[in-house]
Amino acid sequence: MWFEAIPAALWVLSASICISIGALSIARSHYGRSAKPVRPVGWNVTKCHILSLITGLLAYLVYLVIGASYAEHVQKLYTQIGFISAVVLAALIIADVLLLIFQSRRAERSHIDEVLSGVVHTF
């Protein structure tokens, strides 16, 4: 049935959001190009990160709630890959958090450089 794919679809959605956030953070951090100013992490990226957490948790919650009604071979598949998928998703989420922290630190240093060079005035 189609509803047997709901946990996998939620997991794939969460993982793709995590990968997108990581790629966006790397692109906006301007690694290797110190002359370009780095902007802070936006609220929309933060909201997407929370969305990836929620969809990742929902994938496992949906399986726990309605997984008993799945076919036996589907239950076996989800049971076999459950731990590995949780480790992969946790690694993606931790990598996102680290990349966002690095971007924030680079943005802070970039702002300090702009203030000290007189490009940006603070009052």
Side-chain angles (χ1 to χ4, degrees):
M1 299 295 280
W2 63 270
F3 64 90
E4 293 173 344
I6 292 174
L10 287 169
W11 188 92
V12 168
L13 177 65
S14 179
S16 63
I17 292 171
C18 285
I19 292 169
S20 300
I21 290 171
L24 187 66
S25 177
I26 290 170
R28 287 185 176 177
S29 292
H30 304 298
Y31 291 108
R33 294 176 277 168
S34 59
K36 292 189 106 180
V38 178
R39 297 291 159 227
V41 176
W43 281 108
N44 289 333
V45 175
T46 306
K47 291 174 189 175
C48 285
H49 182 67
I50 293 170
L51 179 66
S52 72
L53 286 170
I54 291 170
T55 55
L57 290 174
L58 275 176
Y60 297 100
L61 183 64
V62 166
Y63 176 71
L64 288 175
V65 170
I66 62 173
S69 64
Y70 290 174
E72 188 176 322
H73 69 281
V74 175
Q75 287 181 7
K76 186 177 178 183
L77 175 68
Y78 278 135
T79 303
Q80 288 175 346
I81 64 171
F83 181 74
I84 295 169
S85 68
V87 169
V88 168
L89 194 58
L92 285 172
I93 290 171
I94 290 169
D96 276 349
V97 170
L98 291 175
L99 287 170
L100 292 175
I101 288 171
F102 294 152
Q103 180 184 349
S104 296
R105 293 180 79 193
R106 287 180 60 88
E108 179 184 26
R109 291 184 183 132
S110 177
H111 184 70
I112 290 171
D113 290 343
E114 288 174 350
V115 169
L116 291 176
S117 67
V119 174
V120 176
H121 299 286
T122 58
F123 297 101

